[in-house]
Amino acid sequence: MSFHASLRNNAQTIFQHAEEFFDVSFGGSGNPLRHLGAMGLYFLWIVVGSGLYLYTVLDTSINGVYSSISDLSREPWYLGGILRSLHRYAADAFILVMALHLVREWAYGRYFGFRFYSWVTGVPILWLSYVSGISGYWIVWDQLAQFSATASTELLDWLPIFSEPAARNFLSPDSLNDRFFTMLMFIHLGIPLMLILGLWAHVHRISRVDYLPSRQVMLGTLGTLLLLALIKPALSDAPANLALSPTQVRLDWFMLFIHPMTDITSPAMVWMMLFAATALLFILPFLPHPNAEPIAEVDAANCNGCSRCLADCPYAAITMGPHPGRPGYRIAIVAADLCAGCGICAGSCPSSTPFRKQERLLTGIDMPQQTVNDLRQQLEEQLAQLEGRTRIVVFGCNRAANARLLAAPDTAVISLLCTGALPPAFVEYALRGGADGVMLASCRSGGCDYRLGERWTAERLSGQREPHLRSKVPLARLHHVFASVNDNKLLAEALHEFRKKIEIQGLTDDPLQPYYRRNSHHV
Amino acid sequence: MSKPAAIVGQIILYGAFAVFIGYFATFPRYRQIPDDAALIKLSMSHLGDRECRKRTAEELEKMPRNMRAPLECPRERSDIKLEVDLDGEKLFSTVMHPTGLSKDGVSTIYKRFELKAGSYRLTVRMNDNLIKPGFNYIKEEQVTLKPGRVLVIDFNPDKGGLFFRQ
């Protein structure tokens, strides 16, 4: 294993444990660590909303800019002061979750293949965020602003882009005029607009984007920031005075860490690090990485154009086009560069039912690495070999807890690309084929590696989503477990409990009739 | 986990989040220069000189009427030599080059020096036409640098050349 792969795996393990720790309090769907992108967007909306108010009271004249901001914290404190503090702390939180989001996506290996576009479009967002944030600090025009403006322009002057040193603008009090702050406002409004445009590009190739975290998390986070604003309101330092050099400043380390870094090293070193880090982020997808999964294949003869795969694909990899052989019908078309190879589309296809009599089960959309025909064949073979008092079939997920460890004479295990790839009819097929119970082991709630697999599976099983599990299937014989790669023990316990429950309850009133395809006359 | 326990867990995690954001938003304080230090900022933007030749009357006569400029000047500007001494010791010395592909732009410099506050003999010498020897601009003054204050060394031909500003 390469050093990079080893580093990534270790980082992934840390994230997994942290997320599971947060699951305890927040649950899967509310876990902020599993929705860092949505958290970032939420903080951005707080920044934008509070910023609009700040903009209305800002005086961009050199004599008025400082007091127009610092007075906010006093008159009226409950509106201006809180909104100003929210603006600052939400911006810091945005930077924090953005950094965590970046590291997490890297740790989980979500930067190549079908995620290449989202990764690459995320890189400029880092630059835009910092330019927006740093320019915001200048507008306050206190000592911290003076320090940051001088340090930033000294850093910029190392690049051969200005004919005159930009730092000359901050030489003395008479170097500045009102136009500086007007220009600054254009930057501080214009760059965030570009940032929002960049965010649109960042997410527009995936479907069902998490634009916001859960309501519970939004309220909790907003409450936390409001409390912080009350306890520790954002205040201005002394007014800027270019005749003086601020000796000590209350630095915002989330935004302005670059200035001490320049002091410790040099502008050349800082630019080298920034450009190197940016280049590394861009070339990361081209470095050696695991091979991509084979993509979904559409069988025109079996696709009736129902578009359920279109509705369920988490990456908008499916579009519908005119069917080549049936005038007036549509057919699913898979975009190779967007397909994750998760198989959720195969699980959504109504033609994927194993009750079809065909010797070779062909469906409308299928995964070459694990076709529904393979799945049915594997299930039939394993059902035939099952023995014991209570026979259970476990459908696991390659990315979740290792279900294969549960294999035993009375337990058949089939591990799937994703549990979302399982057509629900397979549950009934297993029960009518001789299993006493069926257990599905998905990733933890909100933790599906393919975003929506565990959610679609749960909705299909509960009849909220097509294709649904038929209502006549007794739910007592079905158990859906949510277990991550670290939950092997939990999975084993769940199986044990499920078996015990079936044995205690007894299943004599089971309405399901046995069904054996090879003996059946049903077509 | 029971609901009350989950709520307590959330409160602790939200609290940790608030402490993290609140602390690093202003702490630890950053000190760029010590309390007893002052800054000298040397910053100039000046067009180097160039050697022009006066055209003779015969030359001007041969030229079209609209192009009869009395002086013939090269496009290229001279480098600028600059030296800064503090109490007779050399603090900084450089040769500034004109900007532009044709070397016809301004020569610029921006340097920041951190010094202990106190009184110093500050001498700045500049030659903006290196064809000529020596320095055509010299400014020498006893300056008192107060803690935290900035002294700017600048150049403006309209203000008599080199000047100090505090």
Side-chain angles (χ1 to χ4, degrees), chain A residues 154 168 216 232 245 253 263, chain B residues 10 26 28 30 43 110 148 150:
Chain A
E154 285 176 1
R168 275 180 65 79
Q216 176 198 5
K232 190 171 180 288
S245 175
W253 292 86
D263 286 343
Chain B
Q10 285 186 25
T26 49
Y30 181 66
S43 176
Y110 178 89
V150 180

Side-chain angles (χ1 to χ4, degrees), chain A residues 24-26 92 147 154 163-164 168 172 216-217 224 232 243-245 247-253 263, chain B residues 1 9-10 14 22 24-32 39 43-45 108 110 112 148-150 154 165:
Chain A
V24 176
S25 300
F26 289 94
D92 287 338
F147 164 71
E154 285 176 1
S163 58
E164 289 195 33
R168 275 180 65 79
S172 59
Q216 176 198 5
V217 172
T224 305
K232 190 171 180 288
L244 299 173
S245 175
T247 52
Q248 184 172 264
V249 286
R250 297 186 300 169
L251 200 70
D252 182 332
W253 292 86
D263 286 343
Chain B
M1 190 181 245
Q10 285 186 25
Y14 280 127
F24 287 107
T26 49
F27 288 97
R29 301 282 166 89
Y30 181 66
R31 186 180 292 274
Q32 192 182 33
L39 290 181
S43 176
M44 288 179 195
S45 175
T108 63
Y110 178 89
R112 183 159 51 89
R149 290 205 74 87
V150 180
D154 204 344
R165 184 169 46 191

Side-chain angles (χ1 to χ4, degrees), chain A residues 144-463:
Chain A
L144 178 61
Q146 176 188 338
F147 164 71
S148 177
T150 310
S152 302
T153 46
E154 285 176 1
L155 183 63
L156 275 173
D157 283 337
W158 186 85
L159 299 173
I161 50 177
F162 300 117
S163 58
E164 289 195 33
R168 275 180 65 79
N169 290 306
F170 306 104
L171 273 184
S172 59
D174 56 356
S175 305
L176 283 180
N177 56 36
D178 296 352
R179 280 177 298 175
F180 171 72
F181 293 99
T182 308
M183 185 195 71
L184 203 53
M185 277 314 301
F186 272 109
I187 292 173
H188 194 58
L189 289 176
I191 302 288
L193 284 175
M194 288 169 67
L195 172 67
I196 291 169
L197 191 67
L199 285 168
W200 169 79
H202 184 56
V203 300
H204 94 281
R205 273 199 179 190
I206 52 176
S207 57
R208 295 173 189 273
V209 180
D210 254 351
Y211 287 111
L212 290 171
S214 70
R215 181 174 295 185
Q216 176 198 5
V217 172
M218 284 197 289
L219 289 173
T221 312
L222 184 63
T224 305
L225 292 181
L226 282 171
L227 201 64
L228 183 60
L230 286 170
I231 295 170
K232 190 171 180 288
L235 299 170
S236 301
D237 286 337
N241 181 353
L242 290 168
L244 299 173
S245 175
T247 52
Q248 184 172 264
V249 286
R250 297 186 300 169
L251 200 70
D252 182 332
W253 292 86
F254 295 101
M255 296 280 184
L256 307 175
F257 69 92
I258 202 167
H259 302 325
M261 208 162 88
T262 313
D263 286 343
I264 293 166
T265 57
S266 67
M269 180 60 79
V270 167
W271 282 120
M272 201 180 75
M273 286 193 284
L274 292 177
F275 288 137
T278 307
L280 182 67
L281 291 175
F282 275 123
I283 64 169
L284 205 57
F286 300 102
L287 296 180
H289 52 70
N291 289 332
E293 292 282 349
I295 64 164
E297 291 174 355
V298 177
D299 181 359
N302 285 282
C303 176
N304 65 7
C306 70
S307 74
R308 284 180 190 163
C309 52
L310 167 77
D312 281 9
C313 178
Y315 301 103
I318 294 172
T319 50
M320 304 305 292
H323 199 288
R326 295 186 199 168
Y329 279 78
R330 295 190 305 162
I331 188 172
I333 299 166
V334 179
D337 59 334
L338 297 179
C339 180
C342 61
I344 289 175
C345 51
S348 73
C349 183
S351 303
S352 296
T353 171
F355 289 101
R356 294 171 74 193
K357 194 72 187 291
Q358 296 169 326
E359 189 53 38
R360 184 164 174 249
L361 179 59
L362 293 173
T363 185
I365 188 163
D366 212 345
M367 303 310 297
Q369 66 273 46
Q370 190 174 44
T371 64
V372 288
N373 185 59
D374 295 339
L375 203 57
R376 184 173 72 173
Q377 207 171 344
Q378 203 181 347
L379 179 61
E380 286 173 352
E381 285 168 10
Q382 296 212 27
L383 282 170
Q385 290 169 10
L386 272 180
E387 54 189 47
R389 189 178 156 207
T390 316
R391 291 156 297 176
I392 292 178
V393 172
V394 178
F395 290 104
C397 168
N398 292 345
R399 311 277 178 132
N402 189 355
R404 291 188 182 91
L405 297 174
L406 306 174
D410 61 354
T411 310
V413 176
I414 295 174
S415 194
L416 304 157
L417 299 168
C418 169
T419 48
L422 182 74
F426 271 78
V427 173
E428 183 183 344
Y429 195 76
L431 292 172
R432 293 178 68 179
D436 296 310
V438 172
M439 190 167 99
L440 263 82
S442 297
C443 294
R444 283 198 183 198
S445 177
C448 174
D449 221 24
Y450 295 116
R451 298 183 60 232
L452 304 169
E454 108 286 349
R455 185 173 149 197
W456 288 169
T457 304
E459 290 184 7
R460 287 171 190 164
L461 294 179
S462 60

Side-chain angles (χ1 to χ4, degrees), chain B residues 8-116:
Chain B
V8 170
Q10 285 186 25
I11 290 171
I12 292 170
L13 290 171
Y14 280 127
F17 170 72
V19 168
F20 189 80
I21 294 283
Y23 182 79
F24 287 107
T26 49
F27 288 97
R29 301 282 166 89
Y30 181 66
R31 186 180 292 274
Q32 192 182 33
I33 60 168
D35 281 340
D36 61 347
L39 290 181
I40 290 181
K41 287 185 180 178
L42 168 64
S43 176
M44 288 179 195
S45 175
H46 175 54
L47 268 174
D49 205 355
R50 55 187 174 180
E51 283 302 309
C52 295
R53 183 182 68 83
K54 194 169 181 186
R55 291 194 170 103
T56 61
E58 293 76 29
E59 284 175 316
L60 288 171
E61 190 61 33
K62 286 177 190 169
M63 296 172 77
R65 282 182 182 276
N66 63 327
M67 294 179 73
R68 288 177 183 173
L71 292 175
E72 183 188 12
C73 297
R75 187 168 177 182
E76 192 173 318
R77 296 283 174 165
S78 168
D79 286 346
I80 297 175
K81 191 175 179 188
L82 185 69
E83 289 181 359
V84 181
D85 289 358
L86 205 64
D87 289 340
E89 300 284 324
K90 186 165 284 181
L91 178 69
F92 180 71
S93 171
T94 191
V95 174
M96 296 144 58
H97 306 293
T99 52
L101 292 174
S102 303
K103 297 183 177 176
D104 57 346
V106 289
S107 300
T108 63
I109 189 157
Y110 178 89
K111 277 278 186 193
R112 183 159 51 89
F113 304 98
E114 185 186 313
L115 297 169
K116 204 171 163 86

